Amino acid sequence: MSENIEFRKQVYNKGQYIKVINTSFNELGVTSVQEQIASEPTVNDFFNLYNELFFDIPEYGEYNSHEYLITKSSEYINFLGNQEETIALQNEIAQLRIELLAAQQQVIELQTTNLPT
């Protein structure tokens, strides 16, 4: 019942190996760097896809949402820093309006108290 199996091993020296064995990976579907770069989406491609998928993208969510895009983009351009400055300036404008209104009220009071009777 036992059967002898004979194994044969073929050995090549370095010079023969390079000639006999194909060491490039083009048979496995590996793409070159230039092909990889050419297949990468461009900014235009991204925005075209974004416009196509706009209503399919969830409004809110930690990832893959409009909220996520706004948060990431805001961090990148330091939008929150600008927003904080805008809020500070709006608060200063509001305070100056209060001071102006108080000054105008004082002027009116002075004008009405100094009227001849």
Side-chain angles (χ1 to χ4, degrees):
M1 290 248 158
S2 67
E3 199 176 312
N4 285 339
I5 300 175
E6 192 176 317
F7 291 100
R8 293 183 188 182
K9 181 178 178 183
Q10 193 168 7
V11 180
Y12 300 100
N13 68 29
K14 188 174 182 178
Q16 291 174 321
Y17 178 81
I18 294 171
K19 293 177 184 175
V20 174
I21 305 296
N22 183 358
T23 58
S24 68
F25 289 102
N26 55 7
E27 295 175 14
L28 297 176
V30 176
T31 58
S32 69
V33 173
Q34 289 82 8
E35 291 171 330
Q36 288 177 356
I37 291 171
S39 69
E40 290 291 316
T42 64
V43 173
N44 247 359
D45 294 338
F46 169 79
F47 280 105
N48 287 337
L49 261 174
Y50 176 74
N51 288 330
E52 287 177 28
L53 298 172
F54 186 84
F55 292 108
D56 296 330
I57 300 170
E59 294 175 14
Y60 301 101
E62 193 172 339
Y63 300 103
N64 299 335
S65 67
H66 287 287
E67 178 183 31
Y68 174 77
L69 289 171
I70 290 169
T71 303
K72 284 307 238 185
S73 294
S74 296
E75 289 172 6
Y76 181 70
I77 63 169
N78 195 22
F79 181 75
L80 295 179
N82 295 341
Q83 190 176 17
E84 290 169 359
E85 183 179 349
T86 301
I87 291 170
L89 290 170
Q90 288 173 334
N91 290 338
E92 184 179 351
I93 290 169
Q95 182 60 37
L96 289 171
R97 285 180 176 167
I98 291 169
E99 292 173 14
L100 177 61
L101 179 61
Q104 288 173 336
Q105 287 173 339
Q106 283 180 343
V107 168
I108 290 171
E109 287 174 9
L110 287 173
Q111 287 174 344
T112 56
T113 55
N114 290 338
L115 289 176
T117 50

